[in-house]
Amino acid sequence: MSNPRQKNTRPPAGEPELPPGSWASSAARRRNMQAIRSRDTKPEQMVRRLLHAQGLRYRVAARPVADLRRTADIVFRPVKVAVFIDGCYWHGCPEHYVPPRTNPGYWSDKVAGNMARDRDTDARLLEAGWTVLRFWEHEAPSECALRIAAEVGKRRACARAEKKSTDTGTDVP
């Protein structure tokens, strides 16, 4: 016989039980969080569609540097350009980030960790000679695509000029 003062920890009928040690505050929250995509988000797809329409080809969700366990949303390997389209909540957008009301310690620490990892990723890629472009999910895809195309075009022009100078033996300023 159960104690009437003991709180019922079982979920309502039809709700699955949370696994032991789960970070989720409820089964519904767990389902919601598991459904969030880490790649192929709408903002990414819109930017990629515009880049492809401009004739640019790229890698999706790829590691720019093989020994670095980080993936960029869009990678232009020959010219070393890595593009990240960050979600406002997960990466702490200064305009749109709203701290959570449920389990704030866990989620605030998680977002702070994401932001620190973003800065570390930027530093490591810059060290390796990459150009890092970061955009927020709320930025206009057309503006993002224009900035990406301009940077890729600039890097391609520099690479061509460098190759031409090595072929002819002249110095490029």
Side-chain angles (χ1 to χ4, degrees):
M1 191 164 195
S2 67
N3 183 346
R5 285 186 246 150
Q6 188 177 16
K7 184 178 177 185
N8 184 4
T9 56
R10 297 189 75 73
E15 285 280 322
E17 278 193 49
L18 290 173
S22 175
W23 46 261
S25 56
S26 69
R29 171 60 54 205
R30 181 176 173 79
R31 274 194 318 277
N32 177 278
M33 298 308 276
Q34 287 177 327
I36 295 172
R37 304 174 78 95
S38 62
R39 58 173 280 179
D40 297 332
T41 62
K42 287 285 184 203
E44 285 178 39
Q45 289 177 338
M46 291 167 64
V47 170
R48 290 194 324 234
R49 193 172 295 127
L50 292 167
L51 292 172
H52 196 273
Q54 292 180 39
L56 296 175
R57 301 300 179 256
Y58 44 80
R59 298 279 175 219
V60 176
R63 289 184 181 181
V65 178
D67 61 340
L68 181 62
R69 273 194 66 220
R70 313 284 165 81
T71 59
D73 298 320
I74 302 169
V75 176
F76 297 90
R77 280 209 178 101
V79 292
K80 292 188 170 185
V81 175
V83 179
F84 297 87
I85 301 172
D86 296 333
C88 291
Y89 178 78
W90 295 109
H91 296 271
C93 172
E95 290 179 45
H96 299 109
Y97 176 70
V98 177
R101 291 188 304 260
T102 305
N103 205 358
Y106 175 83
W107 292 112
S108 295
D109 290 348
K110 176 139 181 74
V111 171
N114 289 349
M115 293 168 71
R117 188 176 57 247
D118 290 345
R119 301 295 77 78
D120 180 60
T121 300
D122 293 352
R124 288 179 183 217
L125 289 175
L126 289 172
E127 252 177 42
W130 284 73
T131 297
V132 177
L133 300 175
R134 283 197 178 269
F135 302 96
W136 291 110
E137 69 179 342
H138 65 263
E139 292 184 61
S142 56
E143 290 297 316
C144 298
L146 285 174
R147 287 176 45 201
I148 294 166
E151 185 61 35
V152 169
K154 185 173 84 178
R155 297 281 301 238
R156 283 181 176 164
C158 288
R160 275 193 298 268
E162 193 174 292
K163 186 178 186 310
K164 188 175 181 179
S165 71
T166 57
D167 289 348
T168 61
T170 58
D171 288 335
V172 174

